Amino acid sequence: MQIPVIHIQLDDDGIPRTINQRVKVKMIAQKYNVGYGVDLIAEHYNITVADVYAALTYYHDNLEYFEAQAQALQPLIEEAKQYSADLKAKVLQRMADKQANSDKSTN
């Protein structure tokens, strides 16, 4: 009789992770969904191919959970994008002002 091997567990915060290296299932699924191969993911995170397949199985078995999580993060992502754009604009303006002041003092 073979004993099943457990590859995924929930951490103290309820986040599903691989047991071996404690890689988040979400991170593995994200890499896979953008085209990374299973072998490459396993090598990248130093986990087994079985861990990758277990994570992908867990991800697909709980897809609604992961989609809801992504949806909940969307407003924060949009806010961060806006903040980054505003910050970039301020930096560029300061650089332009500094260059203009430098040009004035040179002339």
Side-chain angles (χ1 to χ4, degrees), residues 4-100:
V5 178
I6 298 172
H7 294 272
I8 306 298
Q9 70 180 17
L10 299 179
D11 68 12
D12 293 339
D13 296 321
I15 297 171
R17 297 176 179 269
T18 62
I19 286 180
N20 293 338
Q21 296 295 328
R22 303 196 36 80
V23 180
K24 291 180 182 179
V25 167
K26 176 179 76 171
M27 294 169 62
I28 293 169
Q30 286 173 336
K31 289 212 176 287
Y32 185 80
N33 288 339
V34 296
Y36 285 71
V38 171
D39 292 328
L40 187 60
I41 295 170
E43 183 180 327
H44 177 77
Y45 289 116
N46 195 32
I47 58 178
T48 66
V49 170
D51 286 335
V52 176
Y53 281 118
L56 293 172
T57 299
Y58 186 93
Y59 174 80
H60 287 285
D61 283 348
N62 297 281
L63 195 54
E64 288 180 13
Y65 163 79
F66 288 102
E67 288 174 346
Q69 225 182 13
Q71 192 68 26
L73 289 175
Q74 199 58 42
L76 293 174
I77 292 169
E78 293 304 319
E79 184 178 326
K81 285 180 184 177
Q82 184 59 46
Y83 177 77
S84 293
D86 292 346
L87 184 59
K88 181 179 178 181
K90 287 178 184 178
V91 168
L92 291 173
Q93 184 61 50
R94 285 185 185 165
M95 289 172 63
D97 292 347
K98 191 173 186 177
Q99 183 64 40

Side-chain angles (χ1 to χ4, degrees), residues 96-106:
D97 292 347
K98 191 173 186 177
Q99 183 64 40
N101 289 336
S102 175
D103 289 346
K104 287 179 185 177
S105 65
T106 311

